[in-house]
């Protein structure tokens, strides 16, 4: 018997970052939107805990207990007095080290899959609590849709979305480390007054209305200058997408994936094709939003 869970990538339509806290984390106002690019996590009973991974960038995915999927299985088993003896297989489609919460998605996916396999029937509250312990973006991977994340991003308030948004994502040739991007944010902000992060009301209104022009005018990412500083070539990718007709272009989370909002599916296909042939990225994909959170596909 095995259980497969499908879990979405995310883009941050707003990522407002405060000053570094004493614990090294940063307070955020983080507007998450789940997008239709998915990893699939399959768990099968085994003699001991092990992980395998296939798909683009799979060779960069750690297959030991530092992988959030392994940690999810270990934490759930520990809390319920179970043996975490499962084979976790990850079929990756979310870019690895790409700023789209692929590792977080695998953590949330493995948690939901193990809960179903083992019949632990953990409450939603307990699952969210374990997700927050695993990482700042993991709770959102569980719930999907759209949400405002505060604190270090893990405290979620669900947001209304009034329509489908058509996105294009350009995958970069290499990855970026999230802690390195936050460190660069701190370096660039040295000596400056960094305001408390707050959600943008025009952005929340644009999401609620399903209005792509209004959303395009309101998106922002405080980590973008840091990501561009570490990966200057991303400026060419952003320019190529804008030139091809995207309503707006931004770095996704800590990058280096770049995100392009378009008016409709037809425009998204055009922008993706232009990006693929631009020579400024590894590949480009279209994806609608919002997408559902971690979903059990079959048992
Ligand atoms: O929570 P998570 O383990 O995913 O965070 C990865 C890294 O990103 C942290 O170690 C920290 O360097 C940075 N981070 C941060 N502030 C946040 C979230 C993440 O500085 N709110």
């Amino acid at each position: 018997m095995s259980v497969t869970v499908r879990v979405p990538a995310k883009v941050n339509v707003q990522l407002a970052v405060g000053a570094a806290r004493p614990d090294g984390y940063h307070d955020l106002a983080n507007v998450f939107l789940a997008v239709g690019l998915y990893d699939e996590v399959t768990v099968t009973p085994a003699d001991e805990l092990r992980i395998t991974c296939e798909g683009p960038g799979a060779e960069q995915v750690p297959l030991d207990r530092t992988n959030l999927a392994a940690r999810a299985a270990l934490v759930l088993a520990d809390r319920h007095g179970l043996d975490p003896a499962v084979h976790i297989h990850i079929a990756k489609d979310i870019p690895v080290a790409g700023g789209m919460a692929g590792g977080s998605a695998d953590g949330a996916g493995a948690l939901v899959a193990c809960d179903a396999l083992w019949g632990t029937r953990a409450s939603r509250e307990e699952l969210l609590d374990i997700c927050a312990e695993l990482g700042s973006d993991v709770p959102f991977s569980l719930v999907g849709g759209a949400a405002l994340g505060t604190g270090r991003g893990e405290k979620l308030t669900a947001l209304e979305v009034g329509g489908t948004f058509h996105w294009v994502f350009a995958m970069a040739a290499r990855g970026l480390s999230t802690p390195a991007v936050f460190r660069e944010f701190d370096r660039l902000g040295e000596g400056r007054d960094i305001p408390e992060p707050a959600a943008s009301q025009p952005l929340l209104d644009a999401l609620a209305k399903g209005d792509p022009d209004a959303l395009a005018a309101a998106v922002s990412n405080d980590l973008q200058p840091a990501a561009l500083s570490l990966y200057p070539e991303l400026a060419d990718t952003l320019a190529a997408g804008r030139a091809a007709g995207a309503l707006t272009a931004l770095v996704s989370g800590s990058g280096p994936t770049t995100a392009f909002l378009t008016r409709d599916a037809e425009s998204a296909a055009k922008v993706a094709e232009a990006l693929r042939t631009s020579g400024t990225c590894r590949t480009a994909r279209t994806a609608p939003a919002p997408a559902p959170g971690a979903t059990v596909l079959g048992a």
Side-chain angles (χ1 to χ4, degrees):
M1 183 182 135
S2 66
V3 178
T4 297
V5 170
R6 193 181 77 157
V7 60
K10 60 85 185 164
V11 63
N12 307 86
V13 284
Q14 183 186 3
L15 185 42
V17 183
R21 310 192 308 205
D23 67 359
Y25 280 93
H26 298 70
D27 278 325
L28 305 177
N30 189 349
V31 182
F32 291 106
L33 183 62
V35 304
L37 281 179
Y38 303 94
D39 281 0
E40 284 185 10
V41 181
T42 300
V43 297
T44 313
D47 292 337
E48 56 179 4
L49 177 61
R50 70 187 186 98
I51 304 192
T52 52
C53 185
E54 66 175 315
E59 67 289 347
Q60 300 165 55
V61 174
L63 300 179
D64 58 18
R65 293 179 174 213
T66 62
N67 188 304
L68 288 182
R71 286 187 46 212
L74 288 165
V75 173
L76 185 69
D78 187 50
R79 285 191 180 211
H80 291 265
L82 298 168
D83 180 0
V86 278
H87 170 203
I88 303 173
H89 182 70
I90 302 168
K92 284 223 77 79
D93 200 26
I94 304 174
V96 176
M100 297 192 77
S104 301
D106 300 342
L111 183 64
V112 171
C114 287
D115 181 57
L117 183 73
W118 296 336
T120 29
R121 295 175 182 272
S123 65
R124 190 77 167 166
E125 202 185 354
E126 185 186 357
L127 292 176
L128 282 169
D129 193 49
I130 295 174
C131 286
E133 188 179 327
L134 296 174
S136 310
D137 288 350
V138 185
F140 180 72
S141 299
L142 183 80
V143 301
L148 170 64
T150 54
R152 58 185 170 86
E154 86 289 10
K155 290 181 201 144
L156 298 179
T157 310
L159 295 173
E160 208 188 311
V161 185
T164 302
F165 291 101
H166 297 275
W167 289 88
V168 178
F169 296 95
M171 285 66 177
R174 59 180 171 92
L176 272 179
S177 138
T178 301
V181 175
F182 273 102
R183 276 197 302 275
E184 185 67 358
F185 171 87
D186 292 337
R187 196 185 68 80
L188 294 174
E190 253 167 48
R192 273 189 234 160
D193 213 17
I194 299 186
E196 286 290 308
S200 148
Q201 194 57 48
L203 180 119
L204 301 182
D205 292 345
L207 273 181
K209 272 196 214 133
D211 180 340
D213 291 289
L215 184 61
V219 296
S220 68
N221 179 0
D222 287 353
L223 290 181
Q224 183 158 318
L228 286 172
S229 168
L230 297 176
Y231 202 149
E233 302 90 326
L234 295 179
D236 299 334
T237 322
L238 293 171
R242 282 195 202 99
L247 299 174
T248 191
L250 75 163
V251 169
S252 176
S254 57
T257 306
T258 42
F260 305 85
L261 182 58
T262 65
R263 189 161 288 127
D264 51 33
E266 195 188 338
S267 169
K270 256 189 224 155
V271 171
E273 184 52 27
L275 281 164
R276 269 180 226 122
T277 54
S278 69
T280 67
C281 57
R282 179 169 59 76
T283 188
R285 300 273 299 275
T286 61
T295 306
V296 176
L297 292 185

